[in-house]
Amino acid sequence: SKVLSGVKDTRRPELFGSPEPKDAVIGAGENIIFNFSEDIEYNYLQSTTNFQVMGETNESNILEAPSLLFGGSGYAYSEARRNFADKSVTIEVMIKPDELNDDMPIFSHGSDGKLLQLWVTKDKKLKAVVDDTVLVGKNVIDFKSFKRVALVLDNEKKKLYLYSDGQDAVLNDVTYSGYGHIVFGATNLSDIAKISYFKGRMLQGRIWNRALDLATLNSYGNQLLTGYEMGLTDYYPMNEGSGNYATDLAQGAHLMLA
């Protein structure tokens, strides 16, 4: 019989760049424009070929499920690196840890001896580590449900803040000049034997390149974001429920789950 040969395309198209309009506000008669990594025949865009467009309104309330589960031996990290040298930064995330038998890392960044870390201690308090500086919060946090926590480093004022239900602690004369991967759920140590892990669930990981005050944190706190908010560099809803990545809706620096 005749032998037929050819190439089978098994790679599905991926969204490329950002949808338009970039401010995510649609007026009467306007269209949403998506760009893909390859050309797509218009008649293939239907439910039978697994193509769907789903949306959500701005400022929708956050649902606690699905969320990103950390089992105590895994973590989520970005392949892209972030440079926080001489910059203000805000790290905020919603967490629901399992039983706290030891201190657990929530967020880590840095390399070459530079450290920026956010922890929850075994006595249910927040702890920030900036290089050799340690700041422990005063409030005992009730983790019966998800709680939003934040670390804010104000480079201009050289102040480090911790927030839970309100301002938890503040320390003067703190700066940071680190560079490296973003890590949620573990410390970013090169020695694997010394890595600590988080056990529990996370939602709504957000990284800003500005120092948010308590009023601004509260204004964004319990609402979904678009990814285009001023100063938002990384936005991880952590609500996919499946897959190998936690999607970054701000700049596409997705977190790989390991």
Side-chain angles (χ1 to χ4, degrees):
S1 61
K2 185 177 180 180
V3 177
L4 299 178
S5 62
V7 177
K8 181 180 180 180
D9 185 0
T10 60
R11 179 178 296 178
R12 67 181 183 180
E14 299 283 346
L15 280 174
F16 181 79
S18 300
E20 297 178 7
K22 292 185 178 181
D23 61 6
V25 177
I26 305 298
E30 294 182 333
N31 296 316
I32 301 175
I33 300 175
F34 299 96
N35 295 306
F36 288 89
S37 56
E38 59 182 271
D39 293 336
I40 303 174
E41 295 290 341
Y42 75 93
N43 57 326
Y44 287 170
L45 304 182
Q46 50 190 313
S47 58
T48 55
T49 54
N50 295 322
F51 184 88
Q52 289 181 303
V53 176
M54 302 177 66
E56 57 191 19
T57 59
N58 291 353
E59 301 182 352
S60 298
N61 290 332
I62 295 169
L63 301 177
E64 293 190 359
S67 57
L68 185 56
L69 174 65
F70 294 84
S73 59
Y75 54 93
Y77 73 98
S78 68
E79 294 179 312
R81 293 176 173 85
R82 289 284 182 256
N83 183 5
F84 293 155
D86 303 320
K87 298 176 182 176
S88 294
V89 59
T90 296
I91 312 297
E92 59 167 326
V93 64
M94 296 175 67
I95 63 170
K96 187 179 180 182
D98 288 350
E99 290 297 323
L100 286 161
N101 299 316
D102 205 349
D103 295 0
M104 295 195 299
I106 301 168
F107 171 88
S108 298
H109 178 269
S111 60
D112 300 326
K114 299 291 185 180
L115 290 176
L116 177 64
Q117 298 178 340
L118 177 62
W119 294 68
V120 57
T121 68
K122 61 183 179 181
D123 51 356
K124 300 181 181 180
K125 297 180 180 181
L126 293 180
K127 179 175 73 174
V129 178
V130 182
D131 298 334
D132 297 325
T133 300
V134 177
L135 175 65
V136 178
K138 301 176 182 178
N139 298 331
V140 176
I141 304 172
D142 182 2
F143 285 115
K144 291 181 180 178
S145 60
F146 274 94
K147 290 293 184 180
R148 183 169 54 91
V149 298
L151 178 158
V152 177
L153 184 59
D154 190 323
N155 184 66
E156 292 183 4
K157 296 181 180 179
K158 294 181 171 55
K159 286 189 174 184
L160 174 66
Y161 301 86
L162 287 173
Y163 294 97
S164 52
D165 291 328
Q167 183 174 303
D168 207 344
V170 60
L171 187 64
N172 295 320
D173 298 321
V174 181
T175 59
Y176 177 65
S177 58
Y179 171 83
H181 299 282
I182 294 167
V183 181
F184 283 91
T187 52
N188 52 338
L189 300 178
S190 56
D191 188 344
I192 297 177
K194 296 181 180 179
I195 294 178
S196 298
Y197 296 96
F198 179 86
K199 188 174 183 180
R201 296 180 179 273
M202 291 191 192
L203 268 177
Q204 295 292 312
R206 304 167 181 181
I207 302 175
W208 307 75
N209 63 5
R210 59 190 181 115
L212 302 187
D213 58 20
L214 182 59
T216 307
L217 284 169
N218 287 337
S219 68
Y220 289 126
N222 295 316
Q223 298 175 341
L224 297 174
L225 304 182
T226 65
Y228 298 101
E229 287 75 10
M230 184 180 69
L232 184 64
T233 59
D234 300 276
Y235 175 38
Y236 307 103
M238 299 182 179
N239 60 1
E240 290 84 359
S242 62
N244 298 319
Y245 289 87
T247 304
D248 175 17
L249 297 184
Q251 295 188 15
H254 308 315
L255 298 177
M256 181 178 292
L257 307 183

